[in-house]
Amino acid sequence: MTKDKDYISAIKRPGLLYGAIVRSDIPSGTIVSIDLPDFPKDIHIIASKDIPGSNAVKVLNTSLPLLASETVTYKGQPILAVFAPSSEAAQSAAGYIRINYTDTDELQLNFKHKLDDPDQQQEIQSIAKTDIPHPNSKADEISVETEESPDTEKPDVPPSTDSVSKEILKKVIKWGNPDKLFSEADSIIEQTYITGPEQSPLTAPTGAMAEFIKDKLIVHAATQWPFHVRNVVSEVCGVTKRKVTVYQTGYHPTHDEKLIYPSIYGALCAVAAMQTGQPARLISTEPSYRPESAITRKTAFNSDHEPLAEIIDIQTNVGAYAFFADEMIQQIAAGAAPLYDIEGIRMTIRLLSTPTPPRHHFRGLGFSSAMYSAEAHASHITMQTQSNPLVWRLKHLKSSKSRPSDQTKIKYTLLKELLENTAQRADFYRKHAVYEMQRQKQQNFSPFFRYARGIGIACGYGINGFSRAFSEEKKHSITVTLEENNAVTVSLSIVEPEVEKIWKSIISEALGVDASLITIEYGDTAHVPDTGPDVLRREIHHISNLIDRCCDSIKSQRFIEPLPIKVKRGFKLPADSDNKLQLFSGLSWGSVIVELEIDTITLEPIIKGAWGSFECGRIFRPEKLASALTKSLHEGINRCGGAQIRYGRQPLIDVFIKEVDTGLPTSATETAYGLIAAAYTAAVSQALNSQAASLPFGPGDILKILEHGSKM
Amino acid sequence: MKISCKINGKATVFNTYADKPLALLLVEDSEITSLSPGCGKGICGNCVVLMDNHPVLSCIIPAFKIREKEITTYEGYAKTRFYNDVVRGYEEAGAKPCSYCMASKTLLIESVIHENSAPEVDDILDMLSINKCSCIDEKDLVKIVETAVKYRRRRRVRRS
């Protein structure tokens, strides 16, 4: 949330043109013709041929067309932009435009035919095999295969249909010998976990405004990544980056939906401003979507019901274009790795392209969904083996000998401590025993013979920011200056008023200056360094880390160099041996318990209570942190039930935070999201005596279970 | 079409389309800056205004519906003495909505305490669930409203 800045909707200029986008209403096809009525002269239409520079929005290695020229690859793809003196006129004009496409059914058939034909399929999925072994890992410890379709870098992918998806990236992670262990297994438990499509709640307008001032293109955008807007506008308009300055307006990225769209709108406005000489503004309510995942986990057990090996197959729909595909795979792999002791694993992650809108960051890049599957599966195992989920976790949470060294270093002792703390506060042992007895007695009756209550538990960790494999992070930096009057100025492009207070505390403590003398300077792209996108809670740990490093450098120069001392620091791999092998830094740890009852009339899950224990590094503002975690748990529960959750009269959400006095803070939002989902499904499963394995899981899904009468 | 109404007590005439949403009328055709309509579909609850003292989602109210009505936005409400009750609620609870949903949440809180001098927790949460911004947790919201109700009650007692 930005502070005290005008929202994009409040920015007005004399002669402002209002924009509207004409989007495709079919998922795939070829544009044959566009019927444009005779519009008045003050209506301006922008098509792909009007773009002076490149008709592409580049996001790392992927690019998508700014406006579709011939081929449409997903429903809702922008084809034309209409600018008019009022928003009604723009919307009205856009409504009169007709776009004619080729017969899309034929296209679907052709593509289906291609997929059915093994030769064609091989051609489509021709794969560039690249092995990415970790420099410090032994060949027999871990093997990783990454396969990438050559089409990922092309702006136009072949058309496909809802029923046809195309694999664009695949990674196989293997340790131990899972095949041998499965052949020796006494029993196998298998379950598929689905995180369904979820739409951002559209809480804030996404948009941009562009104008020419003294031969400079000035863009105002509600964006999380102002430098990306600048780069895209520069390339689309064919002007140098120096001629483009981007100002952030107020924005509210509830689910990181303001990462890519503002660049698209900014570029369209800039083209309109170039063509007409008038300022142009475009605001859209196009939602962003979370990548859907289907995660199948198969666990082999020995005769003592000890887990031996696991085979995990993960398929994630990323829409028509995959942004941050490599990073997404890293995060999914980290989240899906089970925490319990296991001797072998084979994890296959596939990113699938479908003719649907490109998926965005959505509270992370898949880590929490993957972690949900891991913890929900642990609860499923305990239910199948009739074990107490807490006791089972306390017994099996330990490091496996075959686990590769570059995997996240799990703090098992801390996790057990958090689990026990949460269980004690929630009275887990007693409640679980009672509800388990009720579940087992219900087996021959209706689930609602008496009442349907359940309690679920989950534990795990969360990540902050990008992994160390994300090479783009090296381009991002911040600047800290110690002025002559002992004032400190921090320049960065991430706007976080809440975290600002943490940064000030870090600087104040490190340099011994008063917090009132510290200024956080955000500014525009011409005056601050590129700190990268404001996503994945990077600001909590990663930016705090950069600020800490800048302060260290200033301290070493102070009283040696004359003031002002200006230090710029960028992201790099830390040299300390403890973290050297880990892919993610800034981890937070947590344990969550959810207790609920299913309303026997409305089938709504009624939350009786939620308890969470977290460790998230050093705490600067305990009250704010507790409030933020409470909100995360609350929001996470709402997400689980598809906004159909009801709370008891006095909903109890109880948060405990373990105090740590040294180091840097980390964000536990991601942890809370994944854990609450796993605990919720475990509780619903116990209440219904049937496995709930999809998210969201609301009254409709409960009704389906009752109708089909499926049991554990 | 011409539509006359009162915006924050000031007689206003809009020359507009009959179906233009009230949110856009306020943002584009008058000087209201507190509104930040997000979804335009009545989902996010960030465009709350009071129409004849009742909260409405201005993004789904067409222009023809506001004929001869009295619209109060956050700007207008902040000038009234009742605003201080809500502000005291924020201060005593030590929690405040983010700047993005401040206007809508404040008007929703006013609706709760205006319509009910002793609202139940469910009444409070029901009304405030109209706004989907999750910047503030429910415990704090309840505390804010209860404090504001206390001050409003005192105000009523003093007046009577």
Side-chain angles (χ1 to χ4, degrees):
Chain A
M1 183 65 215
T2 51
K3 65 168 184 184
D4 303 332
K5 286 189 175 184
D6 278 342
Y7 292 105
I8 191 70
S9 54
I11 295 180
K12 294 174 190 172
R13 295 283 186 275
L16 180 67
L17 294 175
Y18 296 81
I21 294 179
V22 179
R23 297 177 184 275
S24 76
D25 47 13
I26 59 162
S28 63
T30 304
I31 299 168
V32 177
S33 63
I34 297 174
D35 298 338
L36 287 176
D38 286 335
F39 285 127
K41 281 183 181 173
D42 57 0
I43 305 269
H44 307 275
I45 310 289
I46 293 171
S48 59
K49 64 180 172 50
D50 302 316
I51 292 168
S54 158
N55 179 28
V57 178
K58 284 185 186 163
V59 186
L60 308 180
N61 296 328
T62 309
S63 69
L64 75 161
L66 179 66
L67 293 172
S69 52
E70 291 174 2
T71 315
V72 171
T73 49
Y74 65 91
K75 191 174 179 178
Q77 185 171 9
I79 297 173
L80 297 172
V82 181
F83 286 88
S86 71
S87 57
E88 304 97 313
Q91 292 290 350
S92 171
Y96 282 110
I97 296 171
R98 291 281 168 271
I99 297 168
N100 305 308
Y101 308 91
T102 51
D103 188 350
T104 52
D105 286 337
E106 191 183 334
L107 275 168
Q108 289 178 10
L109 260 178
N110 288 344
F111 192 58
K112 274 182 187 169
H113 175 70
K114 270 190 172 184
L115 279 184
D116 292 340
D117 181 351
D119 293 338
Q120 295 277 11
Q121 192 176 8
Q122 205 173 4
E123 188 190 315
I124 291 170
Q125 298 182 353
S126 61
I127 279 159
K129 216 176 206 181
T130 322
D131 290 336
I132 315 174
H134 193 278
N136 295 302
S137 68
K138 291 174 189 171
D140 57 349
E141 280 185 340
I142 182 167
S143 66
V144 177
E145 294 169 12
T146 304
E147 302 171 342
E148 190 175 345
S149 152
D151 281 329
T152 36
E153 290 189 19
K154 291 179 186 171
D156 289 311
V157 297
S160 52
T161 71
D162 282 326
S163 58
V164 177
S165 59
K166 187 187 148 204
E167 185 180 298
I168 52 170
L169 197 63
K170 179 182 171 185
K171 184 173 182 178
V172 180
I173 296 169
K174 188 179 164 188
W175 81 70
N177 192 343
D179 296 324
K180 184 170 171 278
L181 292 163
F182 262 85
S183 64
E184 294 166 356
D186 186 64
S187 60
I188 291 170
I189 291 178
E190 184 177 353
Q191 183 66 44
T192 300
Y193 302 89
I194 294 169
T195 51
E198 191 182 352
Q199 192 176 314
S200 69
L202 293 163
T203 51
T206 308
M209 196 277 279
E211 60 187 333
F212 263 111
I213 298 176
K214 294 176 187 171
D215 291 338
K216 274 205 156 191
L217 202 43
I218 308 295
V219 181
H220 297 263
T223 176
Q224 292 170 258
W225 199 2
F227 281 84
H228 187 254
V229 177
R230 186 196 67 171
N231 297 346
V232 170
V233 169
S234 155
E235 283 175 22
V236 166
C237 296
V239 296
T240 58
K241 287 176 187 170
R242 282 173 180 244
K243 285 209 162 189
V244 182
T245 306
V246 178
Y247 292 84
Q248 269 181 321
T249 62
Y251 68 95
H252 193 62
T254 327
H255 291 86
D256 296 332
E257 64 275 16
K258 291 177 174 56
L259 201 60
I260 310 298
Y261 286 157
S263 302
I264 295 173
Y265 303 147
L268 289 173
C269 290
V271 173
M274 280 179 88
Q275 277 194 359
T276 62
Q278 290 172 260
R281 194 185 81 183
L282 202 158
I283 295 176
S284 174
T285 55
E286 185 68 6
S288 63
Y289 299 90
R290 177 176 70 176
E292 306 106 283
S293 294
I295 303 175
T296 303
R297 307 182 77 104
K298 197 156 58 165
T299 313
F301 295 85
N302 63 15
S303 53
D304 297 330
H305 296 301
E306 302 290 332
L308 290 173
E310 196 155 309
I311 291 175
I312 308 167
D313 183 44
I314 303 170
Q315 295 191 26
T316 300
N317 174 15
V318 292
Y321 301 92
F323 305 130
F324 299 95
D326 294 316
E327 182 62 19
M328 190 181 273
I329 287 228
Q330 297 282 8
Q331 299 209 0
I332 290 172
L339 296 176
Y340 39 86
D341 180 18
I342 213 156
E343 289 171 36
I345 198 165
R346 189 173 66 239
M347 191 190 302
T348 310
I349 307 169
R350 293 185 182 88
L351 297 190
L352 304 175
S353 166
T354 57
T356 51
R359 302 303 197 265
H360 285 247
H361 280 69
F362 202 101
R363 289 276 191 205
L365 277 172
F367 178 86
S368 58
S369 301
M371 187 175 67
Y372 146 73
S373 78
E375 276 303 290
H377 191 63
S379 295
H380 181 60
I381 290 170
T382 60
M383 215 174 267
Q384 290 286 311
T385 54
Q386 306 217 344
S387 325
N388 181 305
L390 176 61
V391 175
W392 192 88
R393 278 179 172 86
L394 291 176
K395 184 183 173 192
H396 289 95
L397 279 181
K398 56 187 172 188
S399 186
S400 159
K401 282 174 194 166
S402 54
R403 199 180 177 98
S405 54
D406 67 335
Q407 293 276 309
T408 308
K409 196 176 168 188
I410 310 288
K411 293 182 180 176
Y412 290 103
T413 316
L414 174 64
L415 278 180
K416 286 177 187 177
E417 190 186 321
L418 294 175
L419 271 171
E420 283 177 334
N421 178 300
T422 324
Q424 196 179 4
R425 281 165 32 237
D427 195 7
F428 182 82
Y429 283 106
R430 183 185 65 81
K431 286 176 181 170
H432 182 268
V434 173
Y435 299 157
E436 190 60 19
M437 191 173 69
Q438 160 240 322
R439 179 180 80 86
Q440 290 175 15
K441 279 194 171 180
Q442 279 175 357
Q443 278 183 356
N444 298 321
F445 302 106
S446 150
F448 302 123
F449 185 67
R450 290 192 182 99
Y451 59 85
R453 283 188 187 178
I455 189 162
I457 190 167
C459 70
Y461 68 97
I463 55 175
N464 281 195
F466 295 103
S467 72
R468 285 174 182 150
F470 184 63
S471 57
E472 290 294 309
E473 196 74 304
K474 288 172 194 160
K475 296 176 185 169
H476 305 140
S477 61
I478 67 156
T479 308
V480 178
T481 312
L482 179 66
E483 311 283 354
E484 286 170 4
N485 56 356
N486 252 4
V488 178
T489 309
V490 183
S491 295
L492 74 177
S493 64
I494 283 181
V495 187
E496 282 294 339
E498 283 302 319
V499 187
E500 188 182 302
K501 287 165 189 160
I502 295 176
W503 295 338
K504 284 184 177 176
S505 302
I506 292 171
I507 297 168
S508 174
E509 197 178 285
L511 298 179
V513 295
D514 194 84
S516 60
L517 292 172
I518 302 166
T519 311
I520 310 287
E521 182 185 82
Y522 302 115
D524 52 74
T525 52
H527 294 97
V528 293
D530 181 2
T531 318
D534 175 17
V535 290
L536 305 169
R537 306 301 283 164
R538 285 168 76 237
E539 72 284 358
I540 303 262
H541 182 80
H542 285 42
I543 305 293
S544 297
N545 187 20
L546 286 190
I547 288 175
D548 196 41
R549 282 172 48 207
C550 285
C551 289
D552 281 348
S553 176
I554 289 174
K555 264 198 293 189
S556 63
Q557 293 178 53
R558 204 174 181 181
F559 308 117
I560 299 170
E561 300 290 329
L563 293 174
I565 301 169
K566 189 173 183 178
V567 175
K568 188 175 184 178
R569 285 287 176 273
F571 293 90
K572 63 174 184 180
L573 284 169
D576 62 293
S577 58
D578 188 40
N579 284 326
K580 195 164 62 180
L581 302 176
Q582 289 191 56
L583 204 52
F584 292 95
S585 65
L587 303 180
S588 55
W589 308 86
S591 161
V592 167
I593 289 175
V594 173
E595 184 192 359
L596 54 78
E597 180 175 0
I598 310 285
D599 187 304
T600 50
I601 307 294
T602 63
L603 303 184
E604 289 169 310
I606 303 166
I607 303 298
K608 315 263 310 162
W611 296 262
S613 301
F614 297 93
E615 197 265 74
C616 14
R618 191 169 172 196
I619 305 165
F620 286 91
R621 304 171 74 206
E623 284 175 11
K624 281 281 169 194
L625 180 61
S627 174
L629 285 170
T630 307
K631 278 182 287 176
S632 293
L633 291 176
H634 189 242
E635 214 175 311
I637 292 170
N638 285 339
R639 260 183 62 191
C640 294
Q644 286 169 307
I645 291 280
R646 229 170 70 196
Y647 288 85
R649 187 163 178 78
Q650 287 292 328
L652 175 68
I653 297 183
D654 180 27
V655 171
F656 164 80
I657 303 161
K658 186 178 159 63
E659 284 188 25
V660 178
D661 295 332
T662 53
L664 292 168
T666 59
S667 166
T669 318
E670 190 98 348
T671 327
Y673 268 99
L675 295 181
I676 198 86
Y680 170 85
T681 46
V684 172
S685 302
Q686 190 182 39
L688 291 173
N689 188 26
S690 185
Q691 181 62 35
S694 65
L695 281 178
F697 197 87
D701 306 287
I702 294 170
L703 182 64
K704 274 182 201 163
I705 282 188
L706 291 179
E707 283 173 349
H708 294 101
S710 61
K711 298 276 182 207
M712 296 292 295
Chain B
M1 69 184 291
K2 284 191 175 174
I3 293 167
S4 58
C5 62
K6 271 189 177 178
I7 307 283
N8 295 329
K10 190 177 162 190
T12 311
V13 178
F14 290 110
N15 191 1
T16 184
Y17 294 87
D19 60 349
K20 183 166 182 174
L22 172 58
L24 285 184
L25 272 181
L26 294 171
V27 169
E28 291 178 358
D29 301 337
S30 66
E31 297 302 312
I32 303 302
T33 55
S34 64
L35 279 183
S36 42
C39 66
K41 294 169 187 166
I43 300 167
C44 69
N46 271 324
C47 60
V48 173
V49 296
L50 301 179
M51 190 158 84
D52 289 346
N53 284 325
H54 292 291
V56 292
L57 294 170
S58 59
C59 68
I60 52 170
I61 299 288
F64 70 86
K65 280 236 176 186
I66 64 164
R67 191 187 290 273
E68 307 307 331
K69 301 276 185 189
E70 180 148 2
I71 307 295
T72 308
T73 68
Y74 177 74
E75 283 93 339
Y77 174 67
K79 289 176 187 164
T80 65
R81 61 186 186 283
F82 300 124
Y83 176 63
N84 291 332
D85 301 337
V86 184
V87 170
R88 282 177 161 186
Y90 292 147
E91 285 168 359
E92 287 194 18
K96 200 175 163 185
C98 67
S99 60
Y100 185 70
C101 70
M102 178 78 171
S104 292
K105 279 211 171 84
T106 304
L107 292 176
L108 288 171
I109 291 169
E110 169 58 26
S111 303
V112 178
I113 59 178
H114 178 77
E115 288 168 12
N116 193 340
S117 56
E120 298 280 334
V121 172
D122 287 351
D123 298 331
I124 297 168
L125 295 180
D126 274 358
M127 180 61 90
L128 285 156
S129 66
I130 291 171
N131 182 274
K132 300 289 186 295
C133 182
S134 57
C135 62
I136 190 163
D137 72 61
E138 289 190 343
K139 273 183 202 164
D140 289 340
L141 275 177
V142 171
K143 199 172 168 191
I144 290 165
V145 176
E146 283 173 350
T147 312
V149 164
K150 183 178 77 184
Y151 284 105
R152 182 63 54 88
R153 212 179 290 132
R154 281 187 198 172
R155 191 184 292 280
R156 282 179 183 141
V157 169
R158 278 204 304 270
R159 199 172 52 182
S160 62

